[in-house]
Amino acid sequence: MDIHELTRALYIKNESKIVLVVADGLGGLPARKGGPTELEAACTPNLDKLAQENVCGLMTPILPGITPGSGPGHLGLFGYDPLVYRIGRGALEALGIDFDLGSDDVAIRGNFCTVDDTGVLTDRRAGRIPTETCKRLVEKLRKAAVSGVDLFVEPGREHRFVVVLRGDGLGGDVADTDPQVTGTPPLAPQPRDAASSRTAEAAADFIRQAREILESEHPANMVTLRGFAKRPPIPSMKDVYGLSACAIAVYPMYRGLARLVGMDVVPAGATLAEQFESLRKHWDSYDFFFIHFKYTDSTGEDGDFDAKVRRIEELDGLIPRVMEPNPAVLIVTGDHSTPSALKSHSWHPVPVLLASASCRPDGAAKFGESDCLTGGLGRFEAKYLLPQALAHAERLAKFGA
Amino acid sequence: MDIHELTRALYIKNESKIVLVVADGLGGLPARKGGPTELEAACTPNLDKLAQENVCGLMTPILPGITPGSGPGHLGLFGYDPLVYRIGRGALEALGIDFDLGSDDVAIRGNFCTVDDTGVLTDRRAGRIPTETCKRLVEKLRKAAVSGVDLFVEPGREHRFVVVLRGDGLGGDVADTDPQVTGTPPLAPQPRDAASSRTAEAAADFIRQAREILESEHPANMVTLRGFAKRPPIPSMKDVYGLSACAIAVYPMYRGLARLVGMDVVPAGATLAEQFESLRKHWDSYDFFFIHFKYTDSTGEDGDFDAKVRRIEELDGLIPRVMEPNPAVLIVTGDHSTPSALKSHSWHPVPVLLASASCRPDGAAKFGESDCLTGGLGRFEAKYLLPQALAHAERLAKFGA
């Protein structure tokens, strides 16, 4: 059962506004057994007041035990089943550098690497060359041209870059050329279906030219390509939820994910305060606002419990700003947990707070994982967050008579 | 969505150990309204301490309201959707007597029965003949021979026995010959698909010979056959979870279920203490250990509240032994509830306790059904237990970038 079949049939348009604040990697773990999590340790009077007066719960991003990457994590929050809508590596990389990927483009993750005189791989990451070197080499690679195809090469960080092939009849299913081990030459790009044979040829042509262009460079004297992928076909939020949506995100990856579901990307500035200013500025133009806050995740990834606490407190301090224009529904949650104890994304369920006029009271006295356990939203899969937001915004009609 | 598609793609191998202790039929009910369940009445200091420091929850074995048999109950715990992987009656009976069922064997549950001179059934269970008589009659039935088929006949308890047909081209779909009522002759075995016509012929041939062999016996002068089934094709735990798994179970049924998912069966001894000794002995050879404790179920089936309490206390007393080798993940749960008040398996959700370094605190102060209601694992389908165990053992990579 595709929930979009329901929402497409039932959505209603009105003047209500929905604001989704995503504190990336919000869920956490105690620094030691029995202690508070980062969210519980943080002093969050504004979020706590909202939790008391509204409804909380815990979200399973994908399925129990499954740790999501940022792509699937956000698709769930936007109301798309992350197990149905899969984003290939190359496409995600292109989104991550703000590349406006067309529906027929093939995006590819490139690595600079080192090969010896016989063409055998000796370093799959070319000694992790500085980002500045990467930019210079990408500039050189842009001299490559493939007949009948528009070729884009964009630098990433260190040894990483992105290639986009644009043209008719390019399938997206080509095997990686990175053999994942050294001591063997890079593989030739092999199409995995008939529709991708032109793509494989174009990629082979690009690799040949790259080898020549980089011949005198060291250590980055060759490239590998992997994660060939087209932009997945995803219906827009307008289509499935009747929502005119906008994204206010500082980092390109999240703007890219928002674009995938048809959101407009508006200027975000560089800080949460500036993002909330942008929210006010665009208030009248959209129904739905996605505001992304990165630093709860990056501090978790750093394993810095206290820094994550401070970032949560920074968010809490700005909550009154987001309430000022009086949204019909405010949601504060994460796309996954990033416990500083694990220094990585995790599978733990994610605390969620939903504030609206139609919340049924629950036992949550503050916004934290333990209180969310007693929350009225219970435990639910992330893909059901958006239908609940629509409901609280009175944007969904009755199912059946 | 098959979760095995995910786990196959995401599993990681490491040195961590996972121990699953199944106290069969663990979940219970109070002896009278308002009282404690068996698990709550039991004095379980070791389990309570683990519950306080780790995470609890309640598992739905199949779906709400559905009472599982032992087969589906265990398949769920092993991470297999019991609604997808069905074990036919005959196959389960064969597993239950430790018969090593091949993938092309057809297993059949046999009953000795009584027919009158005209062949009409007068007793479907032949007066529940003693098990010793069953053994003697099975010995006689072994004289039967069916051309082109290896025939195995194995005694069960009382009037029950198992037939296995082994040979090429034997389908598993043949209708029961037991008409379920007396006053009518047993039915002829009817194939329900083309692939099973040889099986039906072989079964008919066996029944003819059985009738002759048993002619002078009383009351067991005839047989009925039912539950024709092949071993279901189930991918191994190695295949879907990357786990090298072993079963330490005293009763043959549970060894058979473990074999179905590719576990090695190692000597278990006869008591829980001996099972835990076996655990220590095989500690270095496996990633995953399934330890089965039968008596919480059998005392429940007997309707003996106090005996079930004592069996739970017996398990609790040995918990320190299972913690000694320091498993990355310990799970204590049941395959279903067997409340002594009902003297049978039930649909009630099953308490579960998961101990690992990465547990988020919850409200459970002891291991019991009421405390599990507040547990951080929430309420989940049993098939999601194993993915969560893998996650806590750091054996699952991130889904998507």
Side-chain angles (χ1 to χ4, degrees), chain B residues 92-141:
Chain B
L92 200 69
E93 295 281 338
L95 298 175
I97 57 164
D98 242 342
F99 189 94
D100 193 4
L101 204 59
S103 59
D104 288 329
D105 295 354
V106 177
I108 312 162
R109 157 77 180 270
N111 273 8
F112 288 106
C113 61
T114 312
V115 293
D116 68 14
D117 292 347
T118 64
V120 165
L121 259 177
T122 56
D123 186 335
R124 291 176 51 240
R125 296 180 189 87
R128 292 187 185 274
I129 50 169
T131 301
E132 282 313 304
T133 307
C134 177
K135 282 183 185 163
R136 181 178 61 79
L137 297 178
V138 160
E139 203 59 54
K140 290 181 76 171
L141 287 182

Side-chain angles (χ1 to χ4, degrees), chain A residues 27-30 33-35 37 58 62-72 82-83 86 89 92 337 342 345 347-351 369-370 373 379, chain B residues 1 3 5-7 10 53-54 355-363 374-380 384 387-388 391-394 396-401:
Chain A
L29 281 176
K33 286 243 179 201
T37 67
L58 286 168
I62 313 285
L63 286 175
I66 305 299
T67 297
S70 299
L83 293 173
R86 309 277 184 112
R89 173 109 218 164
L92 200 71
S337 294
L342 299 182
H345 293 198
W347 64 93
H348 297 87
V350 183
E369 287 84 347
S370 294
L373 263 176
R379 181 85 52 116
Chain B
M1 170 65 202
I3 195 170
E5 186 205 320
L6 278 186
T7 58
L10 300 179
E53 295 173 354
N54 294 283
S356 91
S358 48
C359 291
R360 188 183 275 170
D362 63 19
T374 69
L377 292 171
R379 181 85 50 115
F380 63 97
Y384 294 123
Q388 292 181 89
H392 281 273
E394 297 181 40
L396 278 183
K398 194 160 65 171
F399 170 66

Side-chain angles (χ1 to χ4, degrees), chain A residues 5 14 24-25 53 86 90 96 101 158 168 206 223 238 242 290 330 341 362 364 378 389:
Chain A
E5 187 202 319
N14 62 27
D24 205 303
E53 294 172 355
R86 309 277 184 112
L101 204 59
E158 300 178 333
D168 289 338
F206 169 73
V223 299
K238 188 105 200 172
F290 157 53
L330 169 68
D362 62 19

Side-chain angles (χ1 to χ4, degrees), chain A residues 56-301:
Chain A
C56 290
L58 286 168
M59 272 186 329
T60 302
I62 313 285
L63 286 175
I66 305 299
T67 297
S70 299
H74 277 82
L75 281 190
L77 295 178
F78 299 158
Y80 296 81
D81 187 337
L83 293 173
V84 171
Y85 299 99
R86 309 277 184 112
I87 310 171
R89 173 109 218 164
L92 200 71
E93 296 280 339
L95 298 175
I97 58 164
D98 242 343
F99 190 95
D100 193 4
L101 204 59
S103 59
D104 288 327
D105 295 355
V106 177
I108 312 161
R109 156 78 180 269
N111 272 8
F112 287 106
C113 61
T114 312
V115 293
D116 66 17
D117 293 346
T118 65
V120 163
L121 258 177
T122 56
D123 186 334
R124 293 175 51 238
R125 296 180 187 85
R128 295 187 182 272
I129 49 169
T131 301
E132 282 313 304
T133 308
C134 177
K135 282 183 183 164
R136 179 178 63 79
L137 296 178
V138 161
E139 204 57 57
K140 288 181 79 172
L141 288 182
R142 284 179 176 156
K143 284 176 205 132
V146 177
S147 139
V149 170
D150 288 338
L151 178 70
F152 303 86
V153 193
E154 300 293 337
R157 273 185 307 168
E158 300 178 333
H159 55 283
R160 304 172 184 91
F161 62 93
V162 174
V163 177
V164 176
L165 305 175
R166 179 174 292 168
D168 289 338
L170 296 177
D173 202 2
V174 174
D176 294 354
T177 76
D178 182 346
Q180 296 289 332
V181 290
T182 54
T184 174
L187 305 168
Q190 296 290 346
R192 282 191 289 218
D193 59 24
S196 301
S197 58
R198 279 207 61 218
T199 314
E201 285 164 25
D205 195 0
F206 169 73
I207 292 169
R208 260 191 308 275
Q209 295 175 59
R211 176 94 172 96
E212 284 168 28
I213 290 169
L214 300 173
E215 201 169 15
S216 60
E217 295 287 340
H218 189 81
N221 64 355
M222 182 51 170
V223 299
T224 57
L225 301 182
R226 59 193 176 111
F228 288 70
K230 298 181 84 158
R231 176 186 164 144
I234 303 187
S236 71
M237 289 182 74
K238 188 105 200 172
D239 173 16
V240 294
Y241 299 118
L243 290 174
S244 147
C246 104
I248 308 174
V250 174
Y251 281 70
M253 168 78 79
Y254 309 96
R255 292 197 291 266
L257 288 165
R259 267 194 212 100
L260 266 189
V261 296
M263 288 193 217
D264 282 354
V265 169
V266 300
T271 65
L272 203 48
E274 286 168 345
Q275 285 171 277
F276 287 147
E277 249 168 64
S278 177
L279 173 72
R280 292 301 295 269
K281 193 166 154 194
H282 295 91
W283 190 251
D284 293 332
S285 310
Y286 296 96
D287 306 315
F288 178 92
F289 302 86
F290 157 53
I291 296 174
H292 182 263
F293 184 58
K294 176 68 180 170
Y295 305 105
T296 33
D297 177 62
S298 44
T299 49
E301 295 257 8

